[in-house]
Amino acid sequence: MTLLSGLPRRTAAALALSGLSLSLAACGGGETGTGLTGTLNGAGASFPAAIYQRWFKDMSGEGINVNYQSVGSGAGVRQFQAGTVDFAASDAPMKAEDIAKVPRGVLQIPMTAGAIAVAYNNPGCELKLTQKQLADIFLGKITNYSELGCDDRKITIVHRSDGSGTTYNFTKHLAAISPEWKAGPGADKSVNWPTGVGAKGNEGVAAQLGQVEGGLGYVEVAYVKDPLQAAALENASGDIVKPTNETESEALGAIDLGPDLIGGDPNPAKGYPIVTFTWILAYETGNGDKTELLKKVFNTMLSEPNQALAPELGYVTMPSGVVEKSMAAVARISP
């Protein structure tokens, strides 16, 4: 089995996604003037939920109903393994041992891309963090904004409480820049945090940060809205860079996804340093009469007009070469 797994500043849509369940059109089963109609059920990552919401809403006018539950990558993978959804979404590629639990085969399809921001609630403070400072904050060694050049205020860390691809990618970066972090909490969808309080989903972390003066955490950049700000971070070349569409695109352009389309770079030398693709998980076989509907939905998501919406929603338009490979993966979906 072969595994196939590039602003107007961030809109408020992302924060409206808590408990996302999109029932967007009546279920159909035949052909219309615009093609196939029907219903699909998916679950998984909250990282891409804002753009998925927009895409699925637009498809509703064509008689396509996509119910997507923003439950986190870990929960999405578990539902995918159990066969209770038509597809899932994850910000971290599935591990070989997890893939082995899916007898129908797994296709991991890059669908969009974005960055993870270090978001904080401290108006008047402009954080520009070195790699050591970033690691020391989450290790609990730096506990006050005064240690970072801002006025005296306690730092309250907010992290994910659920299994999360956002956590996986963020902790991969921490492990890449800090030997102490690598030897301690490490990199995974869930880790033992040295400090802080937990919240569920990107939505939950952003909401908690908005309520806690001095709060600091990590979220997909689409969830950074007033009063939150995104810190500038040091990349592997020593440049301190804020997340923008340009700096995120620069970093993503250097990532080699590899033949299985699951590659990444936890510490890029160019651009903003915490960027990632996010994947749709599809069954390679056993899709029955939903096969063509799945292909239509995924190819519509990968279409040029839909990919062009990414920057205004807080994401990065995927490189055309990646889109072509993703479409080739979609073509492998079979009954």
Side-chain angles (χ1 to χ4, degrees), residues 26-32 35-39 63 289 293:
C27 172
E31 298 281 340
T32 70
L36 290 167
T37 62
T39 296
D289 59 7
L293 184 59

Side-chain angles (χ1 to χ4, degrees), residues 171-186:
T171 56
K172 271 182 65 178
H173 178 70
L174 292 179
I177 66 173
S178 167
E180 184 176 355
W181 187 276
K182 183 177 181 179

Side-chain angles (χ1 to χ4, degrees), residues 237-264:
S237 296
D239 298 323
I240 295 182
V241 184
K242 286 187 73 73
T244 67
N245 192 54
E246 292 72 26
T247 61
E248 294 159 18
S249 295
E250 185 177 18
L252 283 167
I255 293 177
D256 180 8
L257 279 169
D260 294 340
L261 303 186
I262 58 173

Side-chain angles (χ1 to χ4, degrees), residues 30-281:
E31 298 281 340
T32 70
T34 56
L36 290 167
T37 62
T39 296
L40 296 175
N41 295 304
S46 62
F47 182 103
I51 195 166
Y52 287 2
Q53 180 193 43
R54 171 64 180 272
W55 288 341
F56 297 151
K57 181 179 179 181
D58 289 348
M59 290 181 209
S60 67
E62 302 178 24
I64 295 174
N65 176 40
V66 183
N67 302 310
Y68 181 75
Q69 298 286 337
S70 174
V71 295
S73 296
V77 169
R78 289 191 293 273
Q79 291 190 42
F80 184 70
Q81 290 174 315
T84 58
V85 289
D86 298 308
F87 68 92
S90 178
D91 305 325
M94 288 180 69
K95 298 177 180 179
E97 57 265 33
D98 293 326
I99 292 168
K101 299 175 183 177
V102 184
R104 294 165 60 185
V106 179
L107 299 170
Q108 304 196 76
I109 308 167
M111 194 56 67
T112 189
I116 298 169
V118 174
Y120 62 99
N121 182 358
N122 190 1
C125 172
E126 186 176 353
L127 287 184
K128 298 179 180 180
L129 302 176
T130 66
Q131 293 188 336
K132 178 171 173 47
Q133 287 173 327
L134 176 61
D136 282 350
I137 289 169
F138 283 89
L139 285 166
K141 293 184 172 183
I142 293 177
T143 61
N144 195 292
Y145 284 94
S146 63
E147 301 173 72
L148 303 170
C150 295
D151 291 339
D152 177 53
R153 175 166 282 169
K154 177 186 175 183
I155 296 173
T156 300
I157 297 295
V158 182
H159 55 73
R160 290 286 287 271
S161 60
D162 54 326
S164 159
T166 305
T167 297
Y168 172 76
N169 286 295
F170 184 67
T171 56
K172 271 182 65 178
H173 178 70
L174 292 179
I177 66 173
S178 167
E180 184 176 355
W181 187 276
K182 183 177 181 179
D188 210 334
K189 292 179 184 177
S190 297
V191 299
N192 292 320
W193 293 95
T195 185
V197 296
K200 187 174 181 180
N202 276 283
E203 306 94 336
V205 172
Q208 183 80 352
L209 288 173
Q211 296 167 9
V212 178
E213 289 190 0
L216 185 149
Y218 59 96
V219 291
E220 202 279 325
V221 288
Y223 294 81
V224 180
K225 71 179 292 282
D226 189 63
L228 304 184
Q229 303 174 73
L233 302 181
E234 182 183 11
N235 64 22
S237 296
D239 298 323
I240 295 182
V241 184
K242 286 187 73 73
T244 67
N245 192 54
E246 292 72 26
T247 61
E248 294 159 18
S249 295
E250 185 177 18
L252 283 167
I255 293 177
D256 180 8
L257 279 169
D260 294 340
L261 303 186
I262 58 173
D265 185 346
N267 188 25
K270 295 182 178 181
Y272 181 75
I274 316 180
V275 294
T276 182
F277 291 94
T278 184
W279 292 263
I280 284 288
L281 309 178

Side-chain angles (χ1 to χ4, degrees), residues 36-40 64 290-298:
L36 290 167
T37 62
T39 296
L40 296 175
I64 295 174
K290 293 188 176 181
T291 300
E292 295 307 316
L293 184 59
L294 285 161
K295 290 182 177 181
K296 178 174 181 177
V297 168
F298 298 154

